[in-house]
């Protein structure tokens, strides 16, 4: 029989980016400890709806740790206290009876609140549109052995590509910097021959767009690396800086 946990839930309410927000508080009773955090919020919303209240708005999609939508700031940590995990991979057994659990949205000027804990992350989309792609001729796929790539490079590029664009790095950073996200996306292409033709254009364009949409500067506190649910390394930031400097020297 599953154990249960009872706790106080403080969750952020805000009607839009210009509205003043506040915390609502609710006592959650006898929640099975094998319940995921998002399932617990589903239970909260069922109770609110049954009472005729407006449900709590939060982002979610795949609930498998892949999509990056479950962007909640829980007890001072992006995605909660578990390391290397998204909110949907967080289970209530991480908490104790009598705990106070505080749920907030990402706090960044570049991620305005849509409602409650749902934020607008289209700033990330605009950065990707600025240079996070390769221009190739479409048609029949090339043979797998047509472009030989060292395994070490392929593995490292795959690690960089594991970034899910959730924004935890921005939420963790005192400057609201998106450098870990941008550097991971630049690195996954910089490490592969397919990404070389547009390398200079990519680094400059994505950094320029990052600054344009309002993200802060990186000061190497490593909070982004510590809170990233996919364990992206700040070595990617060093690579992005090298790519940017090479592009500037080429100019």
């Amino acid at each position: 029989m599953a154990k249960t946990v009872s706790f106080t839930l403080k969750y952020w309410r805000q009607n839009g980016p210009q509205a003043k927000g506040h915390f609502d508080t609710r006592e959650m009773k006898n929640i099975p400890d094998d319940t995921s955090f998002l399932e617990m919020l589903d239970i909260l919303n069922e109770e609110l709806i049954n009472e005729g209240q407006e449900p709590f708005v939060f982002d979610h999609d795949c609930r498998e740790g892949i999509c990056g939508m479950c962007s909640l700031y829980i007890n001072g940590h992006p995605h909660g206290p578990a390391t290397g995990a998204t909110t949907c991979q967080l289970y209530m057994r991480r908490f104790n009876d009598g705990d106070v659990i505080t749920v907030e949205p990402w706090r960044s000027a570049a991620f305005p609140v849509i409602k409650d804990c749902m934020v607008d992350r289209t700033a990330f989309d605009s950065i990707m549109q600025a240079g996070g792609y390769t221009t190739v001729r479409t048609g029949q796929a090339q043979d797998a052995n047509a472009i030989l790539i060292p395994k070490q490079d392929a593995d490292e590029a795959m690690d960089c590509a594991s970034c899910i664009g959730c924004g935890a790095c921005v939420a963790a950073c005192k400057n609201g910097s998106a450098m870990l996200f941008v550097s991971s996306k630049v690195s996954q292409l910089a490490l592969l021959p397919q990404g070389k033709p547009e390398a200079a254009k990519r680094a400059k364009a994505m950094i320029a767009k990052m600054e344009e949409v309002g993200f802060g500067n990186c000061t190497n506190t490593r909070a982004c690396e510590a809170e990233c649910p996919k364990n992206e390394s700040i070595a990617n930031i060093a690579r992005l800086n090298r790519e940017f400097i090479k592009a500037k020297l080429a100019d």
Side-chain angles (χ1 to χ4, degrees):
M1 184 176 178
K3 296 180 180 179
T4 63
V5 59
S6 298
F7 52 89
T8 301
L9 182 67
K10 294 177 63 178
Y11 53 101
W12 186 254
R13 291 288 210 174
Q14 187 172 341
N15 285 327
Q18 305 305 321
K20 185 176 180 180
H22 66 276
F23 284 107
D24 278 353
T25 302
R26 191 175 191 87
E27 298 299 322
M28 302 296 291
K29 300 292 187 182
N30 301 320
I31 304 297
D33 69 354
D34 59 357
T35 301
S36 75
F37 200 88
L38 294 189
E39 289 170 340
M40 181 274 293
L41 294 179
D42 291 337
I43 294 171
L44 166 67
N45 278 340
E46 287 177 4
E47 293 181 0
L48 292 173
I49 291 169
N50 288 337
E51 295 169 6
Q53 299 186 51
E54 190 173 359
F56 169 60
V57 177
F58 59 95
D59 250 335
H60 61 94
D61 191 4
C62 75
R63 301 200 178 197
E64 294 179 349
I66 299 171
C67 71
M69 295 295 289
C70 54
S71 49
L72 295 177
Y73 205 80
I74 304 166
N75 284 356
H77 295 276
H79 294 296
T83 57
T86 55
T87 301
C88 61
Q89 296 171 311
L90 177 67
Y91 288 85
M92 300 314 298
R93 56 178 169 266
R94 299 280 308 199
F95 303 96
N96 301 312
D97 267 331
D99 278 356
V100 177
I101 302 175
T102 304
V103 182
E104 303 171 73
W106 286 169
R107 304 291 190 182
S108 170
F111 292 155
V113 171
I114 297 173
K115 187 172 177 62
D116 297 346
C117 283
M118 178 184 285
V119 300
D120 184 351
R121 286 174 292 179
T122 54
F124 271 9
D125 296 333
S126 66
I127 292 172
M128 292 300 293
Q129 290 163 0
Y133 56 85
T134 59
T135 302
V136 296
R137 288 161 49 189
T138 58
Q140 185 173 350
Q142 287 182 301
D143 183 86
N145 295 321
I147 302 177
L148 298 180
I149 302 170
K151 185 178 187 304
Q152 181 178 348
D153 292 347
D155 288 346
E156 193 170 358
M158 184 63 76
D159 289 342
C160 296
S162 67
C163 169
I164 56 177
C166 66
C169 51
V170 177
C173 179
K174 66 179 183 179
N175 306 319
S177 173
M179 281 290 279
L180 189 63
F181 165 75
V182 175
S183 65
S184 295
K185 296 306 181 184
V186 167
S187 291
Q188 74 184 59
L189 296 172
L191 288 161
L192 301 175
Q194 292 91 336
K196 300 299 182 185
E198 294 164 313
K201 175 184 175 183
R202 177 181 303 112
K204 290 188 296 182
M206 293 180 75
I207 287 178
K209 180 59 71 171
M210 177 183 68
E211 294 175 350
E212 177 188 324
V213 295
F215 291 107
N217 294 318
C218 174
T219 52
N220 288 317
T221 64
R222 303 186 72 170
C224 55
E225 182 183 59
E227 299 288 3
C228 176
K230 296 302 177 182
N231 299 312
E232 293 290 343
S233 170
I234 62 165
N236 294 334
I237 297 177
R239 184 180 294 108
L240 172 60
N241 289 333
R242 292 195 298 270
E243 291 287 314
F244 182 76
I245 291 169
K246 284 192 294 184
K248 284 299 194 180
L249 290 174
D251 288 345

